[in-house]
Amino acid sequence: MDILEAIRARKSIRGYKPDPVPRGILREIINIASRAPSAMNTQPWEITVVTGKVLDNIKQGNIDMVSSGTTPEPAVRSKPFEDKYRQRQVELAIQLFGLMGIAREDRVKRAEWWQKGFRFFDAPAAIILSVDRSLEEARSQFDIGTLAQTICLTALNYDLGTCIEDQGVTFPEIVRRFAHIPESQRIVTSIAIGYPNRDFPANRLESKREPVDEIVTWYGFD
Ligand SMILES: Cc1cc2nc3c(=O)[nH]c(=O)nc-3n(C[C@H](O)[C@H](O)[C@H](O)COP(=O)(O)O)c2cc1C
């Protein structure tokens, strides 16, 4: 797949076919994506790939936590978004809920959607990205970002869809228990991965971007 085509085609997939993803393909994707750059080639990523019973246990464990009223803890703490950032966040939610036919006041459907996120959007596999706690947090976070995007782009070559998903690891103790990730590693994020269900409404979402002239400042060109 042409690189520009891949960058343009990548989008977050939130509805998957149940078909399993062969281990060999996941291995190939990670092998290629591990060419991603990292600061001083430190390659701080620890990668755990889960499917089958293990992933089912994590999904169920997450749902049990939600059902028991436990508050999810974002792996990467951030304060609430404000101003234009909040606006973009709201816009995304409006687009997403619009496509899914979820009304603002429909608490049942909103809760169902929230739960789907804790189930990795029912993807047949998930990639958990973690880093050793000895590493400085902000720096390793950046490197995890380059890897995550490279995995998502590479996956397209195998007709696979992805969604980088913080929500799936907001109960890190559940992920640790079933995926045997030691306390010495900080779980950063996850990537849901699988064959996209093309009929799933949320997969039609075309998220917006600011025009280039709004985000770039040019100096010294004339
Ligand atoms: C670090 C990170 C965490 C994310 N976590 C979630 C998540 O928990 N749930 C979700 O539905 N999407 C999540 N996303 C996907 C973003 O919502 C998505 O990338 C953004 O809306 C742009 O849409 P696109 O990926 O379709 O271009 C996450 C993306 C990133 C980069």
Side-chain angles (χ1 to χ4, degrees), residues 10-14 76 88 92 96 113 117 121 148 162-168 170 188-190 205-209:
R10 190 216 55 82
K11 53 155 70 180
S12 293
I13 294 298
R14 298 182 176 90
V76 180
R88 290 171 192 161
L92 174 76
L96 201 49
W113 180 256
F121 298 110
T162 53
C163 184
I164 300 175
E165 224 223 335
D166 280 353
Q167 194 188 351
T170 44
V188 179
T189 194
S190 63
L205 196 154
E206 294 290 342
S207 61
K208 298 183 180 166
R209 294 297 186 275

mmCIF file of all heavy atoms in Angstrom, residues 10-14 76 88 92 96 113 117 121 148 162-168 170 188-190 205-209, ligand 1:
data_model
loop_
_atom_site.group_PDB
_atom_site.id
_atom_site.type_symbol
_atom_site.label_atom_id
_atom_site.label_comp_id
_atom_site.label_asym_id
_atom_site.label_seq_id
_atom_site.Cartn_x
_atom_site.Cartn_y
_atom_site.Cartn_z
ATOM 1 N N ARG A 10 -6.046 5.528 7.171
ATOM 2 C CA ARG A 10 -6.108 5.146 8.587
ATOM 3 C C ARG A 10 -7.163 5.939 9.319
ATOM 4 O O ARG A 10 -7.286 7.142 9.170
ATOM 5 C CB ARG A 10 -4.749 5.359 9.273
ATOM 6 C CG ARG A 10 -4.705 4.746 10.668
ATOM 7 C CD ARG A 10 -3.896 5.564 11.624
ATOM 8 N NE ARG A 10 -4.357 6.945 11.682
ATOM 9 C CZ ARG A 10 -5.389 7.367 12.414
ATOM 10 N NH1 ARG A 10 -6.086 6.517 13.150
ATOM 11 N NH2 ARG A 10 -5.756 8.638 12.398
ATOM 12 N N LYS A 11 -7.947 5.239 10.074
ATOM 13 C CA LYS A 11 -8.922 5.876 10.943
ATOM 14 C C LYS A 11 -9.193 4.924 12.094
ATOM 15 O O LYS A 11 -8.880 3.727 12.004
ATOM 16 C CB LYS A 11 -10.218 6.184 10.196
ATOM 17 C CG LYS A 11 -10.803 4.962 9.489
ATOM 18 C CD LYS A 11 -12.278 5.052 9.261
ATOM 19 C CE LYS A 11 -12.708 6.061 8.244
ATOM 20 N NZ LYS A 11 -14.194 6.069 8.101
ATOM 21 N N SER A 12 -9.746 5.425 13.154
ATOM 22 C CA SER A 12 -10.042 4.553 14.293
ATOM 23 C C SER A 12 -11.238 3.670 13.966
ATOM 24 O O SER A 12 -12.289 4.168 13.547
ATOM 25 C CB SER A 12 -10.319 5.394 15.533
ATOM 26 O OG SER A 12 -9.133 6.061 15.911
ATOM 27 N N ILE A 13 -11.063 2.379 14.141
ATOM 28 C CA ILE A 13 -12.112 1.395 13.858
ATOM 29 C C ILE A 13 -12.716 0.947 15.189
ATOM 30 O O ILE A 13 -12.008 0.510 16.092
ATOM 31 C CB ILE A 13 -11.505 0.201 13.067
ATOM 32 C CG1 ILE A 13 -11.038 0.671 11.684
ATOM 33 C CG2 ILE A 13 -12.481 -0.961 12.965
ATOM 34 C CD1 ILE A 13 -12.139 1.217 10.766
ATOM 35 N N ARG A 14 -14.042 1.090 15.289
ATOM 36 C CA ARG A 14 -14.695 0.782 16.574
ATOM 37 C C ARG A 14 -15.749 -0.311 16.439
ATOM 38 O O ARG A 14 -16.603 -0.474 17.311
ATOM 39 C CB ARG A 14 -15.287 2.058 17.172
ATOM 40 C CG ARG A 14 -14.210 3.114 17.489
ATOM 41 C CD ARG A 14 -14.791 4.353 18.131
ATOM 42 N NE ARG A 14 -13.774 5.322 18.521
ATOM 43 C CZ ARG A 14 -13.315 6.315 17.752
ATOM 44 N NH1 ARG A 14 -13.793 6.461 16.520
ATOM 45 N NH2 ARG A 14 -12.388 7.146 18.194
ATOM 46 N N VAL A 76 -2.530 7.607 31.334
ATOM 47 C CA VAL A 76 -1.838 8.880 31.181
ATOM 48 C C VAL A 76 -2.770 9.943 31.742
ATOM 49 O O VAL A 76 -3.829 10.208 31.186
ATOM 50 C CB VAL A 76 -1.564 9.170 29.681
ATOM 51 C CG1 VAL A 76 -0.838 10.487 29.520
ATOM 52 C CG2 VAL A 76 -0.791 8.025 29.057
ATOM 53 N N ARG A 88 -13.114 20.373 20.104
ATOM 54 C CA ARG A 88 -12.819 19.261 19.190
ATOM 55 C C ARG A 88 -13.282 17.939 19.783
ATOM 56 O O ARG A 88 -13.789 17.068 19.084
ATOM 57 C CB ARG A 88 -11.317 19.206 18.886
ATOM 58 C CG ARG A 88 -10.856 20.365 18.031
ATOM 59 C CD ARG A 88 -9.341 20.409 17.928
ATOM 60 N NE ARG A 88 -8.899 21.677 17.352
ATOM 61 C CZ ARG A 88 -7.664 22.162 17.474
ATOM 62 N NH1 ARG A 88 -6.748 21.487 18.136
ATOM 63 N NH2 ARG A 88 -7.354 23.314 16.923
ATOM 64 N N LEU A 92 -16.152 15.476 18.154
ATOM 65 C CA LEU A 92 -15.952 14.050 17.879
ATOM 66 C C LEU A 92 -17.095 13.229 18.472
ATOM 67 O O LEU A 92 -17.660 12.349 17.816
ATOM 68 C CB LEU A 92 -14.610 13.572 18.456
ATOM 69 C CG LEU A 92 -14.383 12.064 18.338
ATOM 70 C CD1 LEU A 92 -14.012 11.679 16.906
ATOM 71 C CD2 LEU A 92 -13.311 11.573 19.302
ATOM 72 N N LEU A 96 -19.702 10.860 16.513
ATOM 73 C CA LEU A 96 -19.731 9.432 16.857
ATOM 74 C C LEU A 96 -21.127 9.005 17.301
ATOM 75 O O LEU A 96 -21.697 8.031 16.775
ATOM 76 C CB LEU A 96 -18.714 9.200 17.988
ATOM 77 C CG LEU A 96 -18.171 7.816 18.233
ATOM 78 C CD1 LEU A 96 -17.692 7.167 16.957
ATOM 79 C CD2 LEU A 96 -17.002 7.905 19.230
ATOM 80 N N TRP A 113 -22.318 2.047 25.030
ATOM 81 C CA TRP A 113 -21.176 2.446 24.193
ATOM 82 C C TRP A 113 -19.884 2.475 25.017
ATOM 83 O O TRP A 113 -18.829 2.014 24.590
ATOM 84 C CB TRP A 113 -21.433 3.813 23.542
ATOM 85 C CG TRP A 113 -20.272 4.234 22.694
ATOM 86 C CD1 TRP A 113 -19.319 5.155 22.991
ATOM 87 C CD2 TRP A 113 -19.912 3.676 21.424
ATOM 88 N NE1 TRP A 113 -18.397 5.225 21.986
ATOM 89 C CE2 TRP A 113 -18.730 4.340 21.013
ATOM 90 C CE3 TRP A 113 -20.486 2.708 20.589
ATOM 91 C CZ2 TRP A 113 -18.095 4.055 19.804
ATOM 92 C CZ3 TRP A 113 -19.853 2.424 19.385
ATOM 93 C CH2 TRP A 113 -18.672 3.091 19.010
ATOM 94 N N GLY A 117 -16.239 0.174 24.723
ATOM 95 C CA GLY A 117 -14.853 0.638 24.803
ATOM 96 C C GLY A 117 -14.033 -0.224 25.757
ATOM 97 O O GLY A 117 -12.881 -0.558 25.486
ATOM 98 N N PHE A 121 -13.819 -2.547 21.870
ATOM 99 C CA PHE A 121 -14.726 -2.462 20.723
ATOM 100 C C PHE A 121 -14.958 -3.835 20.086
ATOM 101 O O PHE A 121 -15.160 -3.950 18.885
ATOM 102 C CB PHE A 121 -14.233 -1.427 19.703
ATOM 103 C CG PHE A 121 -14.190 -0.038 20.274
ATOM 104 C CD1 PHE A 121 -12.979 0.579 20.520
ATOM 105 C CD2 PHE A 121 -15.356 0.633 20.606
ATOM 106 C CE1 PHE A 121 -12.937 1.854 21.084
ATOM 107 C CE2 PHE A 121 -15.323 1.892 21.169
ATOM 108 C CZ PHE A 121 -14.115 2.505 21.405
ATOM 109 N N ALA A 148 2.930 3.343 18.058
ATOM 110 C CA ALA A 148 1.493 3.087 17.919
ATOM 111 C C ALA A 148 1.007 3.469 16.517
ATOM 112 O O ALA A 148 0.320 2.686 15.848
ATOM 113 C CB ALA A 148 0.724 3.849 18.986
ATOM 114 N N THR A 162 -7.617 -0.660 13.232
ATOM 115 C CA THR A 162 -7.094 -0.483 14.592
ATOM 116 C C THR A 162 -7.793 0.685 15.282
ATOM 117 O O THR A 162 -8.351 1.565 14.618
ATOM 118 C CB THR A 162 -5.584 -0.144 14.548
ATOM 119 O OG1 THR A 162 -5.394 0.976 13.675
ATOM 120 C CG2 THR A 162 -4.743 -1.315 14.081
ATOM 121 N N CYS A 163 -7.722 0.680 16.582
ATOM 122 C CA CYS A 163 -8.087 1.884 17.338
ATOM 123 C C CYS A 163 -7.144 1.982 18.528
ATOM 124 O O CYS A 163 -7.120 1.094 19.391
ATOM 125 C CB CYS A 163 -9.535 1.820 17.826
ATOM 126 S SG CYS A 163 -10.069 3.338 18.664
ATOM 127 N N ILE A 164 -6.335 3.021 18.533
ATOM 128 C CA ILE A 164 -5.517 3.271 19.731
ATOM 129 C C ILE A 164 -6.512 3.558 20.844
ATOM 130 O O ILE A 164 -7.456 4.339 20.652
ATOM 131 C CB ILE A 164 -4.579 4.482 19.508
ATOM 132 C CG1 ILE A 164 -3.647 4.218 18.325
ATOM 133 C CG2 ILE A 164 -3.787 4.789 20.788
ATOM 134 C CD1 ILE A 164 -2.755 5.396 17.950
ATOM 135 N N GLU A 165 -6.350 2.914 21.961
ATOM 136 C CA GLU A 165 -7.419 2.965 22.951
ATOM 137 C C GLU A 165 -6.894 3.021 24.378
ATOM 138 O O GLU A 165 -6.507 2.004 24.947
ATOM 139 C CB GLU A 165 -8.287 1.714 22.770
ATOM 140 C CG GLU A 165 -9.751 1.990 22.827
ATOM 141 C CD GLU A 165 -10.483 0.962 23.635
ATOM 142 O OE1 GLU A 165 -10.004 -0.177 23.761
ATOM 143 O OE2 GLU A 165 -11.533 1.323 24.174
ATOM 144 N N ASP A 166 -6.940 4.206 24.960
ATOM 145 C CA ASP A 166 -6.573 4.328 26.380
ATOM 146 C C ASP A 166 -7.586 3.596 27.268
ATOM 147 O O ASP A 166 -7.231 3.031 28.301
ATOM 148 C CB ASP A 166 -6.559 5.811 26.796
ATOM 149 C CG ASP A 166 -5.276 6.512 26.362
ATOM 150 O OD1 ASP A 166 -4.367 5.827 25.860
ATOM 151 O OD2 ASP A 166 -5.197 7.740 26.519
ATOM 152 N N GLN A 167 -8.837 3.637 26.832
ATOM 153 C CA GLN A 167 -9.907 3.133 27.700
ATOM 154 C C GLN A 167 -9.722 1.662 28.094
ATOM 155 O O GLN A 167 -10.023 1.271 29.219
ATOM 156 C CB GLN A 167 -11.262 3.319 26.997
ATOM 157 C CG GLN A 167 -12.440 3.144 27.945
ATOM 158 C CD GLN A 167 -13.777 3.134 27.224
ATOM 159 O OE1 GLN A 167 -13.848 3.420 26.026
ATOM 160 N NE2 GLN A 167 -14.825 2.794 27.935
ATOM 161 N N GLY A 168 -9.207 0.883 27.140
ATOM 162 C CA GLY A 168 -9.042 -0.556 27.394
ATOM 163 C C GLY A 168 -8.116 -0.882 28.554
ATOM 164 O O GLY A 168 -8.206 -1.959 29.143
ATOM 165 N N THR A 170 -7.674 1.202 31.331
ATOM 166 C CA THR A 170 -7.920 2.094 32.469
ATOM 167 C C THR A 170 -8.160 1.319 33.772
ATOM 168 O O THR A 170 -8.352 1.930 34.822
ATOM 169 C CB THR A 170 -9.099 3.067 32.204
ATOM 170 O OG1 THR A 170 -10.153 2.327 31.613
ATOM 171 C CG2 THR A 170 -8.688 4.202 31.307
ATOM 172 N N VAL A 188 0.850 1.877 29.165
ATOM 173 C CA VAL A 188 0.617 3.209 28.593
ATOM 174 C C VAL A 188 -0.699 3.282 27.820
ATOM 175 O O VAL A 188 -1.524 4.152 28.042
ATOM 176 C CB VAL A 188 1.784 3.624 27.670
ATOM 177 C CG1 VAL A 188 1.529 4.999 27.062
ATOM 178 C CG2 VAL A 188 3.090 3.621 28.437
ATOM 179 N N THR A 189 -0.877 2.366 26.913
ATOM 180 C CA THR A 189 -2.104 2.392 26.120
ATOM 181 C C THR A 189 -2.297 1.025 25.459
ATOM 182 O O THR A 189 -1.501 0.098 25.655
ATOM 183 C CB THR A 189 -2.079 3.542 25.079
ATOM 184 O OG1 THR A 189 -3.408 3.744 24.561
ATOM 185 C CG2 THR A 189 -1.131 3.278 23.934
ATOM 186 N N SER A 190 -3.362 0.924 24.686
ATOM 187 C CA SER A 190 -3.596 -0.332 23.958
ATOM 188 C C SER A 190 -4.040 0.002 22.540
ATOM 189 O O SER A 190 -4.417 1.144 22.249
ATOM 190 C CB SER A 190 -4.670 -1.165 24.664
ATOM 191 O OG SER A 190 -5.904 -0.478 24.654
ATOM 192 N N LEU A 205 -17.143 7.183 10.453
ATOM 193 C CA LEU A 205 -16.711 8.486 10.973
ATOM 194 C C LEU A 205 -15.456 9.003 10.246
ATOM 195 O O LEU A 205 -14.466 8.284 10.112
ATOM 196 C CB LEU A 205 -16.419 8.363 12.471
ATOM 197 C CG LEU A 205 -16.327 9.660 13.274
ATOM 198 C CD1 LEU A 205 -16.664 9.378 14.727
ATOM 199 C CD2 LEU A 205 -14.983 10.316 13.206
ATOM 200 N N GLU A 206 -15.562 10.224 9.772
ATOM 201 C CA GLU A 206 -14.387 10.902 9.200
ATOM 202 C C GLU A 206 -14.045 12.024 10.167
ATOM 203 O O GLU A 206 -14.667 13.085 10.138
ATOM 204 C CB GLU A 206 -14.716 11.498 7.820
ATOM 205 C CG GLU A 206 -15.016 10.486 6.724
ATOM 206 C CD GLU A 206 -13.784 9.698 6.272
ATOM 207 O OE1 GLU A 206 -12.654 10.153 6.538
ATOM 208 O OE2 GLU A 206 -13.969 8.617 5.677
ATOM 209 N N SER A 207 -13.093 11.781 11.039
ATOM 210 C CA SER A 207 -12.778 12.808 12.034
ATOM 211 C C SER A 207 -12.161 14.021 11.347
ATOM 212 O O SER A 207 -11.495 13.899 10.325
ATOM 213 C CB SER A 207 -11.843 12.243 13.100
ATOM 214 O OG SER A 207 -10.638 11.836 12.505
ATOM 215 N N LYS A 208 -12.416 15.193 11.930
ATOM 216 C CA LYS A 208 -12.003 16.439 11.268
ATOM 217 C C LYS A 208 -10.564 16.797 11.613
ATOM 218 O O LYS A 208 -10.017 16.335 12.600
ATOM 219 C CB LYS A 208 -12.923 17.574 11.711
ATOM 220 C CG LYS A 208 -14.363 17.335 11.309
ATOM 221 C CD LYS A 208 -15.220 18.511 11.696
ATOM 222 C CE LYS A 208 -16.668 18.219 11.273
ATOM 223 N NZ LYS A 208 -17.615 19.145 11.884
ATOM 224 N N ARG A 209 -9.970 17.632 10.796
ATOM 225 C CA ARG A 209 -8.653 18.196 11.083
ATOM 226 C C ARG A 209 -8.682 19.682 10.747
ATOM 227 O O ARG A 209 -9.427 20.112 9.860
ATOM 228 C CB ARG A 209 -7.562 17.523 10.225
ATOM 229 C CG ARG A 209 -7.327 16.055 10.529
ATOM 230 C CD ARG A 209 -6.812 15.795 11.944
ATOM 231 N NE ARG A 209 -6.459 14.401 12.147
ATOM 232 C CZ ARG A 209 -7.300 13.432 12.492
ATOM 233 N NH1 ARG A 209 -8.584 13.712 12.677
ATOM 234 N NH2 ARG A 209 -6.887 12.189 12.652
HETATM 235 C C1 LIG B 1 -3.473 8.230 22.864
HETATM 236 C C2 LIG B 1 -4.802 7.959 22.234
HETATM 237 C C3 LIG B 1 -5.802 7.397 23.014
HETATM 238 C C4 LIG B 1 -7.046 7.112 22.451
HETATM 239 N N1 LIG B 1 -8.000 6.520 23.229
HETATM 240 C C5 LIG B 1 -9.221 6.271 22.699
HETATM 241 C C6 LIG B 1 -10.227 5.646 23.490
HETATM 242 O O1 LIG B 1 -10.017 5.317 24.660
HETATM 243 N N2 LIG B 1 -11.425 5.413 22.916
HETATM 244 C C7 LIG B 1 -11.678 5.738 21.610
HETATM 245 O O2 LIG B 1 -12.782 5.489 21.134
HETATM 246 N N3 LIG B 1 -10.744 6.307 20.822
HETATM 247 C C8 LIG B 1 -9.517 6.575 21.340
HETATM 248 N N4 LIG B 1 -8.550 7.153 20.563
HETATM 249 C C9 LIG B 1 -8.821 7.441 19.152
HETATM 250 C C10 LIG B 1 -9.081 8.927 18.914
HETATM 251 O O3 LIG B 1 -10.360 9.269 19.366
HETATM 252 C C11 LIG B 1 -8.949 9.184 17.396
HETATM 253 O O4 LIG B 1 -7.622 8.938 17.004
HETATM 254 C C12 LIG B 1 -9.310 10.617 17.015
HETATM 255 O O5 LIG B 1 -10.668 10.857 17.281
HETATM 256 C C13 LIG B 1 -9.050 10.876 15.528
HETATM 257 O O6 LIG B 1 -9.802 9.971 14.754
HETATM 258 P P1 LIG B 1 -9.135 8.951 13.743
HETATM 259 O O7 LIG B 1 -8.207 8.062 14.509
HETATM 260 O O8 LIG B 1 -10.299 8.175 13.179
HETATM 261 O O9 LIG B 1 -8.408 9.747 12.704
HETATM 262 C C14 LIG B 1 -7.295 7.423 21.092
HETATM 263 C C15 LIG B 1 -6.275 7.962 20.312
HETATM 264 C C16 LIG B 1 -5.039 8.225 20.873
HETATM 265 C C17 LIG B 1 -3.945 8.794 19.996
#
